[in-house]
Amino acid sequence: MIYLRSIAFNVLFYVNFVVMAFLLSPSILGPRPWAVWVAKLWTSSAIWQLRVIAGIRLEVRGLENVPEGPSIVASKHQSAFETIALVPILRNPVFILKRELNWVPIFGWYSLKMRMIPVNRGGGMSALKAIAALAKVAAAHDRQIVIFPEGTRKAVGAPPDYKFGVAKVYEAVGVPCVPVAINTGLFWPRRGFLRYPGTAVIEFLPPIPPGLDSRTFLATLTESIETASDRLAQDAVGGKPSGGTEAS
């Protein structure tokens, strides 16, 4: 049954994306909020499909920890799930993502229109400076800057590998940083085809205030995310009750 439900979800997931993106493509010619609305509509529909077809429910905890104004949202990255889920959850997100995604047909059009921040992974210090400059612009426009500090998806329980880039963005932008813990990789594994039913949790943790030195910030961020993510994974395996809000 899991195999059949996974096939059904994966097919509908991509078909829905292509159909919706093309039907609503005139939004790319309008102001940026139009493209943001399309992205939120599609990602919300994907979350609904996960629940109805694959049996994966999304629970959001700690949303009150996200400041009203601009912030950095630094999330653990285990799956494509959190990339999708954070779009409708956050008010006005801008993702720091690898620049190659801007070259993908349809997806890249919307990414450019939404003014996502591209990363040249081979660009070294000059690339970091460019990311920091664009992040400052995004913060000035009252947006939430979403970054995955490890740079790529990690399997549940894998040793953490936080990059120093998130500290450079934190130092440059000067806004609170909200750590985000997840257990999504238990249900939508990285590089995996199967989707396992259960309750996936995205938990926003208490924000780290601006002004810490880079090393202290990175150590604090790592400890916060890793401790909470380990707890969420253990709770899911142990079947402990939830304490957040279920997304529709």
Side-chain angles (χ1 to χ4, degrees):
M1 181 60 73
I2 289 176
Y3 187 79
L4 293 176
R5 293 173 78 174
S6 297
I7 292 176
F9 168 76
N10 285 319
V11 170
L12 186 57
F13 176 78
Y14 290 107
V15 169
N16 182 47
F17 169 71
V18 172
V19 171
M20 189 175 292
F22 270 114
L23 287 178
L24 300 174
S25 59
S27 63
I28 297 175
L29 302 177
R32 182 184 61 82
W34 292 10
V36 174
W37 178 82
V38 172
K40 286 179 177 287
L41 179 64
W42 173 66
T43 49
S44 295
S45 69
I47 293 169
W48 179 84
Q49 291 163 17
L50 273 172
R51 178 168 57 85
V52 173
I53 300 172
I56 303 175
R57 296 180 178 273
L58 171 63
E59 181 184 320
V60 181
R61 301 178 185 174
L63 196 54
E64 68 276 5
N65 287 320
V66 181
E68 291 292 331
S71 61
I72 299 167
V73 176
S75 175
K76 184 73 177 173
H77 199 14
Q78 297 174 348
S79 166
F81 193 159
E82 59 271 10
T83 310
I84 294 166
L86 287 171
V87 175
I89 291 173
L90 296 172
R91 176 176 48 83
N92 190 14
V94 52
F95 284 72
I96 297 177
L97 44 75
K98 58 183 180 180
R99 65 173 181 173
E100 289 80 5
L101 290 174
N102 284 341
W103 306 338
V104 177
I106 305 176
F107 180 92
W109 306 342
Y110 282 92
S111 175
L112 290 168
K113 186 64 181 183
M114 293 170 67
R115 298 173 196 160
M116 299 303 186
I117 300 175
V119 176
N120 176 8
R121 289 184 172 179
M125 187 56 67
S126 62
L128 274 179
K129 290 180 179 178
I131 292 168
L134 290 172
K136 289 180 70 173
V137 172
H141 287 84
D142 200 28
R143 302 185 73 181
Q144 295 79 48
I145 303 154
V146 181
I147 185 170
F148 299 110
E150 294 175 280
T152 188
R153 293 169 293 175
K154 294 285 185 178
V156 177
D161 183 23
Y162 286 66
K163 311 299 183 186
F164 211 68
V166 64
K168 290 299 182 184
V169 172
Y170 165 83
E171 182 181 20
V173 178
V175 297
C177 177
V178 182
V180 181
I182 59 175
N183 66 359
T184 56
L186 295 172
F187 310 99
W188 183 332
R190 66 171 193 149
R191 303 171 187 166
F193 173 80
L194 296 179
R195 306 288 177 259
Y196 299 95
T199 300
V201 178
I202 293 179
E203 182 173 353
F204 295 89
L205 304 169
I208 301 171
L212 298 180
D213 67 86
S214 295
R215 293 190 182 277
T216 301
F217 163 74
L218 192 59
T220 303
L221 180 70
T222 303
E223 176 68 18
S224 179
I225 293 177
E226 291 302 309
T227 300
S229 293
D230 287 345
R231 168 177 50 80
L232 292 179
Q234 292 167 6
D235 288 353
V237 173
K240 290 188 178 181
S242 63
T245 302
E246 183 178 309
S248 59

